[in-house]
Amino acid sequence: MSGCSASEAMRFGWPEGVTPEAEDMRHLWTWSVIAALVMGIIVWALTFWTISFHRRKGTGKLSADEEFPRQTAYNVPLELTYTAIPFVIIAVLFYFTIIVQNSVEAKKSDPKVVVDITAFQWNWKFGYRTVEMGNGQKYEGFLRNGSPYEEQLPRENKEGEEVPLPANGRDDDIRNYLKFDRIETVGTSDEIPVLVLPVGERIEFEQASADVIHSFWVPEFLFKRDVMPFPKQNHTDNRWQVSSIDRPGAFVGRCAEMCGTYHSMMNFEVRAVSKEKFDTYISYRAANPTATNAQALQNICETPVSITTHPFDTRRSTDGTTTPQTNGDANNTSIPGCTVGAQQ
Ligand SMILES: [Cu+2]
């Protein structure tokens, strides 16, 4: 407690979110803890009252009828009351949980940005399917559906031919669930994928895995969802939305499902930028298909590499000079003295 500021203490350990959904969950959490504390205080008070005022007093010799205090079992109204009260408490908690859950899971038909997320061992691919631009135009970036084998490491048989990995006996005709878009950001062992998103806009994510189960997790969204291969056959709802990202900044993202050897290095970054910067970013990448994500970030005066995490680094230098890499300030990602769109 002494390590917390007043506002942190009132969150009862709940992290600070950057979406309205995260705020809703924080309120639910805070009020649930307050309700639990009220209940705790009543229980502590009753316990204290019992052991203080109903203990045996005096030291005289015991007579047979003094061995126990007066017994008051089978008080039917009292027992009904303390059975009913917990049901009321559970009903109230259930009610508010459903309200918040519905708001977190809400999907509206007019997301301003639709992002395709593809998880694979052990990185991420992000594609922009549609973007409603500030000038009223709609950018359409969908290219095609594809097979999970396109995102997997090639395997060869004895004859040197490429063989697809088994997909639990699934037929070929359902192996086309992955989305490929014109503008994509793909992470590699040397580069953390930076997913650029606008602040203040409803964003939809559609996610699928090319191999095993992963989980898309941005701690600041207070939200994670398993990324499944064959989402339809696995009965997963692989679309979800945030109604807004409330402030610009760099937010780390992680895989939250143990997915193999390099699971812990399957990090990415969400870079929330102003709508103006975001539109310029999309226009630049659409007009310059060979440009890297780093160049596109530089073009909108954003730090071109991830700030919140970095590619796996063993930090095993023997001379002691290697220090953790810092690429900037996660709360202020703009490059100073730079003009947005200057390279365009
Ligand atoms: Cu993973």
Side-chain angles (χ1 to χ4, degrees):
M1 283 299 282
S2 63
C4 295
S5 71
S7 76
E8 280 169 344
M10 279 317 288
R11 292 205 300 268
F12 298 113
W14 194 261
E16 203 169 5
V18 294
T19 62
E21 287 81 4
E23 278 296 283
D24 286 351
M25 290 186 277
R26 183 172 64 77
H27 290 142
L28 176 68
W29 168 248
T30 300
W31 286 105
S32 301
V33 175
I34 289 171
L37 279 175
V38 169
M39 191 53 66
I41 286 165
I42 292 171
V43 172
W44 290 327
L46 284 172
T47 308
F48 180 77
W49 175 69
T50 310
I51 61 177
S52 303
F53 298 103
H54 292 276
R55 66 196 162 83
R56 178 193 293 283
K57 299 182 192 75
T59 53
K61 261 197 343 203
L62 290 177
S63 62
D65 57 340
E66 275 179 337
E67 192 174 355
F68 296 108
R70 189 165 60 88
Q71 300 299 293
T72 52
Y74 310 113
N75 184 324
V76 175
L78 187 65
E79 289 187 9
L80 281 178
T81 308
Y82 65 60
T83 307
I85 289 175
F87 274 102
V88 174
I89 294 170
I90 289 166
V92 171
L93 286 176
F94 185 75
Y95 171 79
F96 285 108
T97 304
I98 292 295
I99 297 280
V100 172
Q101 186 173 305
N102 286 348
S103 101
V104 169
E105 302 225 306
K107 286 193 279 256
K108 299 212 170 125
S109 56
D110 61 340
K112 296 283 188 277
V113 181
V114 179
V115 175
D116 287 311
I117 300 168
T118 307
F120 56 93
Q121 285 171 320
W122 285 275
N123 227 307
W124 302 88
K125 178 168 79 84
F126 303 112
Y128 295 90
R129 196 190 308 169
T130 57
V131 175
E132 250 171 64
M133 309 288 267
N135 59 13
Q137 283 181 338
K138 194 164 186 186
Y139 165 80
E140 298 277 356
F142 181 69
L143 212 51
R144 61 183 175 89
N145 283 320
S147 144
Y149 303 129
E150 296 179 49
E151 294 296 323
Q152 294 171 354
L153 295 172
R155 308 261 171 124
E156 293 176 350
N157 63 14
K158 266 186 269 167
E159 285 76 42
E161 294 165 328
E162 209 171 285
V163 286
L165 294 168
N168 310 325
R170 311 260 192 223
D171 292 335
D172 277 344
D173 57 349
I174 59 166
R175 290 173 183 164
N176 63 345
Y177 62 85
L178 287 191
K179 301 277 188 286
F180 288 79
D181 297 299
R182 285 192 179 80
I183 301 176
E184 289 190 330
T185 304
V186 190
T188 68
S189 309
D190 307 314
E191 189 182 345
I192 298 285
V194 177
L195 169 60
V196 181
L197 294 172
V199 295
E201 303 258 277
R202 179 168 284 274
I203 303 163
E204 177 167 309
F205 300 88
E206 185 173 324
Q207 57 187 33
S209 164
D211 36 51
V212 300
I213 304 173
H214 302 271
S215 183
F216 182 94
W217 180 37
V218 179
E220 260 99 351
F221 288 3
L222 279 295
F223 184 89
K224 60 178 117 160
R225 177 159 294 174
D226 276 12
V227 184
M228 308 284 283
F230 296 93
K232 192 163 156 258
Q233 287 74 19
N234 281 317
H235 306 288
T236 171
D237 182 2
N238 66 334
R239 281 170 54 229
W240 53 278
Q241 297 182 348
V242 292
S243 56
S244 150
I245 299 172
D246 290 336
R247 67 175 172 90
F251 311 112
V252 73
R254 305 185 191 283
C255 178
E257 181 70 53
M258 173 59 189
C259 60
T261 311
Y262 297 108
H263 157 69
S264 67
M265 289 128 220
M266 206 173 143
N267 294 337
F268 59 97
E269 178 172 301
V270 165
R271 185 74 62 84
V273 300
S274 67
K275 176 68 179 155
E276 182 215 2
K277 277 186 173 183
F278 181 71
D279 284 357
T280 311
Y281 169 85
I282 292 293
S283 313
Y284 177 85
R285 290 204 64 186
N288 302 279
T290 55
T292 62
N293 195 35
Q295 286 169 329
L297 277 163
Q298 232 153 4
N299 185 51
I300 56 165
C301 303
E302 283 286 319
T303 308
V305 289
S306 65
I307 293 167
T308 54
T309 181
H310 45 82
F312 180 53
D313 168 12
T314 61
R315 295 185 203 166
R316 284 178 183 156
S317 76
T318 46
D319 59 359
T321 53
T322 307
T323 51
Q325 204 181 333
T326 45
N327 290 326
D329 176 1
N331 293 314
N332 185 7
T333 58
S334 286
I335 300 170
C338 170
T339 314
V340 174
Q343 290 170 32
Q344 212 152 18

